[in-house]
Amino acid sequence: MNHKAEYKRWKERAVADEDLIHELEGMDEVAIEDAFYRDLAFGTGGLRGIIGAGTNRMNVYIVAKASQGLSQYLLKKFSSPSVVIGYDSRIKSDLFAKVAAAVFAKNGIQVHIWPELLPVPTVSFAVRYLHASQGVMITASHNPSKYNGYKIYGADGCQITIEAAVAILSEIEKVDVFSVLIDENPEVEYINDSVLTAFIERVKQESVLFGDEINRDVAIVYSPLNGTGLKPVTRILKESGFNNITVVEEQRIPDGNFPTCPYPNPEIRDAMELGIEYCRNNGAELLIATDPDCDRCGIAVKDGNDYRLLSGNEVGLLLLDYVCSQREKHGKMPTDPVFIKTIVTMDLAERVAAHYGVRTINVLTGFKFIGEQIGNLEAVGKANSCIFGFEESYGYLTGSYIRDKDAVNAAFMICEMFAFYKTRGISLTEKLDELWKQYGYCLNTLHSYEFPGRGGMAKMQKIMVDFRKGIDEIGGLKIMEVQDYSKGLNGLPKSDVLKYLLEQNCSVVVRPSGTEPKLKMYISVSSENKERAEAVEACIVEELQKLM
């Protein structure tokens, strides 16, 4: 792409948003190149990028172009296509949703749009509930405030597959960014509140108490991190009898600037600190936080005189054991029960599942692949076989009512599990220690390395090439097996992922992020205790950094 020529064209024609006009006028050479050297990458996660002017940015023109391409795809595939649209609290999310709706309407596609901002899982649910052809969610998940995105769902409520993404991209590439026609008064159908009620009621059915008593007056602090979770999360908890809920006031109202947590990710302690302070002041032992689009859920629990953040792997392990043990105890385990996890998620979870006679399915990174497996089960009449799915990046789902991770479900199930154990005098950290004693200690960490700008992608590609040249050991541990998913492995799609199985039940996964300019490394260390595991992990990290 001739970035200078494209910049000139945008200066002349990008007049639909005053913010873009001002930004274009103030760009220097470096900014022009970064904003126009390529089109924003489109894949199975749709689009995600920095908000601003340019072909490599998220703006009304890129949203309109994507929506026109998606319209052309839908009109070829369906006789009477329809789309569900949702949006989160991010900057310009409501505007982008309106632009998308106007483009679909201009193409004669029926539009069902949520009348207010709501979580990602409600789009997956509404697509299935309303029998829509496609779903679109305007969101950038847990990224910093300067980002926004455009996530696409298929008719099954699952994020689009690689095949669908290729077909949609082919249509998008046919569209000139300034040629899209927009319906100025689009006919849209606002989704009735009864659909949200149906979603809430369906999540409630995931309870595994089966008549067991719990104390629902336990003190809990909740933060939506200025996102979409407030209404559905507080509603389902209160309707389920959890009335002692304190909401973090500074993070209650939707705000795409995220004033108290610039990186609104519940994995990070900085984003959780305000909630932890609320816990101290209210005597609460549990903090729950959902990310802006409410598909990820993080928690902090009282641990001695402080509060400890549990990792996505630790929460997933606790939920897996809780769901399995309750189903086994009450005779509610389905025939051929299935647990689904990603290849970068704690391997120890597979041993827990096996203990309860539950079959594990491993998939590539991304909850869409978990959703895809649920769809495969549904196709053979076994959707109810899936009792749990999770990924290490704080995504959980019990059951099969949607095809994406759901933090409304996660918050509900975590509160139930917390109350169940507390009623019996057990804290979540004590329960976790029980699992370590039973299955052995396992430390799982994620290390991300940023490679921004035009040269970043080339650097990441070179690193992956270097890793594939052959390594005998990492951090003093011999490599027992190399699993290269770029060639397709275990029936999974091809993906730029390497997994090294090391001696002593340790492993390392290396992969470029599909949505951010980052190289991610997932390390799993099994050992007799935490101290020894941390020492081994430190050696592995040091070696990996040298290899880069």
Side-chain angles (χ1 to χ4, degrees), residues 15 57 89 116 154 157 173 177-178 200 224 366 379 385 442 458 462 477 483 505 530:
V15 295
R57 296 286 186 265
S89 62
E116 59 182 328
E173 288 177 336
V177 73
F178 293 114
I200 295 290
S385 290
C442 188
K462 183 181 183 304
L477 296 176
Q483 297 178 345
N505 286 322
K530 181 180 179 182

Side-chain angles (χ1 to χ4, degrees), residues 27 193 199 319 404 422 431 438 440 499:
M27 281 183 168
D193 196 53
F199 168 74
L319 282 171
D404 205 351
K422 184 168 175 58
K431 183 61 187 179
Q438 184 174 356
K499 185 168 185 176

Side-chain angles (χ1 to χ4, degrees), residues 184-425:
E184 294 185 4
N185 295 293
E187 283 192 23
V188 301
E189 181 180 320
Y190 288 101
I191 300 172
N192 193 284
D193 196 53
S194 64
V195 181
L196 179 59
T197 297
F199 168 74
I200 295 290
E201 292 302 317
R202 184 59 188 83
V203 175
K204 288 180 187 176
Q205 293 176 27
E206 292 303 312
S207 169
V208 291
L209 287 174
F210 304 121
D212 283 349
E213 293 296 321
I214 61 171
N215 175 16
R216 299 174 194 268
D217 291 327
V218 289
I220 297 168
V221 171
Y222 168 63
S223 173
L225 296 180
N226 300 116
T228 60
L230 179 66
K231 182 175 179 177
V233 171
T234 56
R235 177 177 170 181
I236 194 170
L237 292 179
K238 288 176 181 177
E239 288 182 7
S240 301
F242 293 95
N243 291 310
N244 195 2
I245 307 292
T246 301
V247 177
V248 178
E249 283 300 322
E250 295 89 338
Q251 297 170 345
R252 172 191 288 269
I253 304 301
D255 186 343
N257 293 298
F258 309 116
T260 62
C261 51
Y263 200 164
N265 185 348
E267 301 176 44
I268 300 172
R269 191 172 181 101
D270 283 351
M272 303 287 275
E273 278 295 356
L274 199 52
I276 289 172
E277 190 60 34
Y278 267 70
C279 284
R280 290 193 180 99
N281 295 336
N282 289 275
E285 295 182 21
L286 174 66
L287 164 66
I288 290 183
T290 53
D291 70 339
D293 59 353
C294 196
D295 62 356
R296 299 173 192 243
C297 183
I299 72 171
V301 295
K302 197 169 192 314
D303 188 22
N305 294 322
D306 199 4
Y307 287 81
R308 170 182 162 190
L309 267 64
L310 297 190
S311 71
N313 277 312
E314 289 171 332
V315 174
L317 200 69
L318 285 165
L319 282 171
L320 173 63
D321 182 76
Y322 172 65
V323 169
C324 288
S325 62
Q326 283 294 100
R327 284 184 172 275
E328 182 180 71
K329 181 173 76 173
H330 291 279
K332 299 290 186 178
M333 195 71 83
T335 304
D336 186 27
V338 172
F339 157 59
I340 310 171
K341 75 174 191 68
T342 62
I343 59 173
V344 300
T345 297
M346 178 184 279
D347 295 329
L348 181 64
E350 194 162 346
R351 302 212 296 270
V352 175
H355 172 79
Y356 292 101
V358 176
R359 178 165 60 97
T360 298
I361 297 176
N362 282 285
V363 298
L364 292 177
T365 309
F367 215 91
K368 57 183 170 286
F369 295 113
I370 294 177
E372 186 176 46
Q373 289 297 323
I374 297 173
N376 292 342
L377 291 169
E378 184 179 48
V380 294
K382 291 186 175 181
N384 291 335
S385 290
C386 180
I387 60 171
F388 189 51
F390 90 95
E391 59 184 1
E392 51 74 40
S393 55
Y394 294 62
Y396 318 97
L397 178 68
T398 59
S400 58
Y401 59 96
I402 60 169
R403 298 290 180 270
D404 205 351
K405 53 185 174 284
D406 181 3
V408 180
N409 166 272
F412 172 64
M413 293 300 295
I414 290 167
C415 286
E416 177 180 297
M417 175 177 67
F418 167 72
F420 177 86
Y421 288 128
K422 184 168 175 58
T423 302
R424 288 150 184 80

Side-chain angles (χ1 to χ4, degrees), residues 4 10 104 147 159 266 306 465 522 524:
K4 291 183 179 179
W10 275 64
F104 292 132
Y147 284 84
Q159 286 184 56
D306 199 4
V465 168
Y522 305 79
S524 179

Side-chain angles (χ1 to χ4, degrees), residues 453-512:
R454 186 172 191 172
M457 185 64 69
K459 288 179 183 177
M460 286 195 291
Q461 290 172 346
K462 183 181 183 304
I463 289 170
M464 293 302 293
V465 168
D466 290 342
F467 270 106
R468 286 191 169 94
K469 287 179 179 177
I471 307 168
D472 295 324
E473 65 175 36
I474 301 177
L477 296 176
K478 184 180 178 182
I479 295 174
M480 309 301 291
E481 182 183 346
V482 179
Q483 297 178 345
D484 189 346
Y485 290 86
S486 68
K487 303 169 184 177
L489 195 65
N490 300 328
L492 300 177
K494 294 179 181 180
S495 184
D496 191 10
V497 180
L498 280 169
K499 185 168 185 176
Y500 297 97
L501 301 181
L502 312 178
E503 59 184 332
Q504 300 176 21
N505 286 322
C506 300
S507 68
V508 173
V509 178
V510 184
R511 75 173 186 95

